[in-house]
Amino acid sequence: MAAMTTGTPSRADANRRRILDVALAELLRDPDASMDQIARAAGVVRRTVYGHFPSREALIGTLVDGAVEAVAAAHAAGREGAADPAQAVAGSVLAVWEIADRYRILVALAQRSVTMQGIRDRLAPVRATCTELLQRGLDEGVFVSALPAPALAYVHEQMLFGVMEAVNDGLLAPEEAGRSAAVTVLTAAGVPASRATELVAELDD
């Protein structure tokens, strides 16, 4: 009689999950952490780490994939129920920053191995949703821009990366970054600064 399968993760799956969790923590603490350091911190031998991830670049790429999934979920949650495009954009940026702030060191690190093009490719579904939202705002006159919606979505994405780098370089306090990013994105879409600041403050209370 065949054994019944259960929903319990296998030991290999549990090891892989633990390695990823520990690797993220180690890389946030020390962006130059080696595979040996990650293995020691995870309580496994180096061979086990390489059994799941053939290279440090593959490990970082998997972490970036997880970060993008989290960003996409936050983006959807942040704009949920918002009828006004400006409110939806502000809510999504604030929600994304709560996730992105955890991953901002990882994004900077990933630029060395995954490349920015790789990160942009992973973010394509989020960018497509942003484009639709921006187009609706442009059509309704909520946003005003010399750029078409697809280009404006690209600019917004780069702004968020820029805010991450500013925090990483000590130019902006992390606790201020979410609001600053949301206001900056809205003003770039043509929302008056006073309205953008007021809207973000309302959403972030």
Side-chain angles (χ1 to χ4, degrees):
M1 184 176 176
M4 293 181 62
T5 58
T6 69
T8 304
S10 69
R11 181 175 179 181
D13 288 340
N15 272 344
R16 185 177 188 276
R17 182 70 262 166
R18 174 165 175 72
I19 290 166
L20 286 171
D21 289 343
V22 169
L24 178 59
E26 286 297 301
L27 289 168
L28 293 180
R29 183 184 61 79
D30 175 12
D32 294 318
S34 66
M35 296 289 265
D36 283 340
Q37 286 175 255
I38 292 167
R40 286 196 300 272
V44 298
V45 296
R46 187 168 179 264
R47 184 175 60 186
T48 299
V49 176
Y50 278 105
H52 292 284
F53 307 101
S55 67
R56 189 171 182 272
E57 289 70 25
L59 174 59
I60 292 172
T62 302
L63 288 172
V64 170
D65 287 340
V68 169
E69 288 177 10
V71 164
H75 189 273
R79 67 178 187 275
E80 186 177 359
D84 175 41
Q87 185 178 15
V89 167
S92 64
V93 171
L94 289 170
V96 163
W97 186 262
E98 291 183 14
I99 301 298
D101 188 47
R102 183 183 182 212
Y103 295 114
R104 56 188 169 79
I105 299 294
L106 178 63
V107 170
L109 179 64
Q111 291 177 33
R112 307 180 202 170
S113 55
V114 178
T115 76
M116 280 306 297
Q117 186 58 49
I119 295 172
R120 291 190 191 107
D121 290 345
R122 286 166 166 83
L123 287 171
V126 175
R127 192 182 311 113
T129 301
C130 288
T131 299
E132 293 175 7
L133 182 56
L134 290 168
Q135 186 62 62
R136 182 160 64 88
L138 289 168
D139 292 343
E140 294 176 7
V142 176
F143 301 140
V144 179
S145 176
L147 297 173
L152 188 56
Y154 186 91
V155 168
H156 282 184
E157 183 179 293
Q158 296 308 302
M159 283 180 169
L160 293 180
F161 284 129
V163 171
M164 289 183 192
E165 289 297 333
V167 175
N168 289 345
D169 290 344
L171 303 176
L172 181 65
E175 58 272 16
E176 298 174 6
R179 286 192 180 198
S180 298
V183 171
T184 300
V185 165
L186 286 176
T187 54
V191 177
S194 58
R195 173 57 183 153
T197 302
E198 176 186 347
L199 179 57
V200 170
E202 290 172 0
L203 292 173
D204 201 34
D205 278 345

